[in-house]
Amino acid sequence: MIGHLAAGEQGEGRRKTGGALVNPPRPCHGWPVTDDPSNAHPLRPSRLGWSDFFEEQREPAEAGLVPMRIATVHRSRLTALSLTGPVGLVLPVHTQTGDFAVGDWVLVEPETGTMRRRLPRRSVLQRRNEGGGPLQLAAANVDTLFVVTSCNADFNIARLERYLALANQGGTNPVIVLTKADMAPDAETYRRQAAGLQRDLAVVTVNPRLPDAVTRLAPWCGEGLTVAVVGSSGVGKSTLVNTLAGPGQDLPQETGGIREHDAKGRHTTTSRSLHAIAGGGWVIDTPGMRTLHVSDAAEGIDTLFAEIVELAPSCRFRDCTHAHEPGCAVQAAVAEGALDPERLTRWRKLLDENRTNTPVVTGPRSNRRR
């Protein structure tokens, strides 16, 4: 099995001297992009997450290029996984590594290890920092996003809703993972609150230190599937990644404790990386985030608050703000007790935040949101 490619494990020994590569990568022999069981190689392309979605993007002239999956992204280098193991990629001149995310698929020349192009993504997780700036890539081609929170002071509905909007917008399936339930006087209250945040939202309670966590999360961690893990520092993200990856990983993630008075932890994961899961899938760990600023996520917010969005067409006025207009179906639902007024308030806040943080691209005819 291909293990986790640790930051710095590949590529550090390759330095340019007068334009030449010292210790260039060994040839990375190509592999047929097929799931033919007669393939003699012990790993199939689908084990890395390859699917017809990516195969259909290959041009006929690219038949000799080798698909590889980005494992780590650094300021000046990229590392990738192929079916034969980890590879330090040779980057064309002017390549911006910030344009790549862990989980991306790229096409590589087998003899030189030179990356030629990135394939379009099936899903992407990205966010914008406070104050604007470009979107920052968190992970790509993720099937499921594990939003990890604990049954203590870290549990914050408004923050969870931001993570859910991020997952919805990125095209990945969100799952809430609750930790530290054994230390909570009423863990069921946390589970019920989390489950009510979005329709058909899966909520799983685990102890990330126990092997039982692997069994509970197995439906989303099968062969070739990719999960990403997000959440605040100190909730057990890195511990969960270590448990999912199993004892055979090359370099376990560092873990840390939390402050008892406010349940906040310290950052132990400082970069994103791709880990093999013992059951055949892949997991991407991410640095802890205590704040998540919503932008470019209108569709994700609509999915999150579907019950409000679906009421809007029944309002008397097409441009109803759902605040004070007569004949407002949303306000009627609040009055009847069918809609939590606090949830309506949070919906308004997320919409306003998204509108403020999403840049406007000025065109020759009119303004349009990017």
Side-chain angles (χ1 to χ4, degrees), residues 133-204:
L135 285 167
Q136 293 187 331
L137 296 168
N141 301 313
V142 173
D143 297 289
T144 301
L145 181 66
F146 287 157
V147 181
V148 184
T149 187
S150 49
C151 298
N152 55 24
D154 177 80
F155 188 89
N156 183 296
I157 287 178
R159 185 172 65 239
L160 289 176
E161 287 175 338
R162 282 169 163 74
Y163 281 125
L164 293 174
L166 172 75
N168 296 336
Q169 188 69 29
T172 185
N173 175 51
V175 173
I176 301 290
V177 179
L178 294 176
T179 64
K180 307 185 191 301
D182 55 320
M183 296 183 283
D186 187 9
E188 176 58 23
T189 298
Y190 291 99
R191 191 205 65 77
R192 187 170 56 253
Q193 288 181 314
L197 296 180
Q198 183 169 302
R199 287 179 182 169
D200 302 321
L201 178 64
V203 179
V204 185

Side-chain angles (χ1 to χ4, degrees), residues 1-4 144-148 175 177 179 204 206-222 225-230 236-249 252-253 255 274-285:
M1 178 181 296
I2 299 174
H4 163 55
T144 301
L145 181 66
F146 287 157
V147 181
V148 184
V175 173
V177 179
T179 64
V204 185
V206 303
N207 184 332
R209 298 184 181 278
L210 299 181
D212 180 63
V214 176
T215 302
R216 289 178 176 270
L217 298 176
W220 302 279
C221 300
L225 297 178
T226 301
V227 300
V229 183
V230 296
K237 292 192 299 89
S238 295
T239 301
L240 180 62
V241 169
N242 288 337
T243 300
L244 291 174
Q249 61 180 309
Q253 292 290 85
T255 60
L274 186 66
H275 305 250
I277 299 176
W282 299 89
V283 59
I284 300 173
D285 196 6

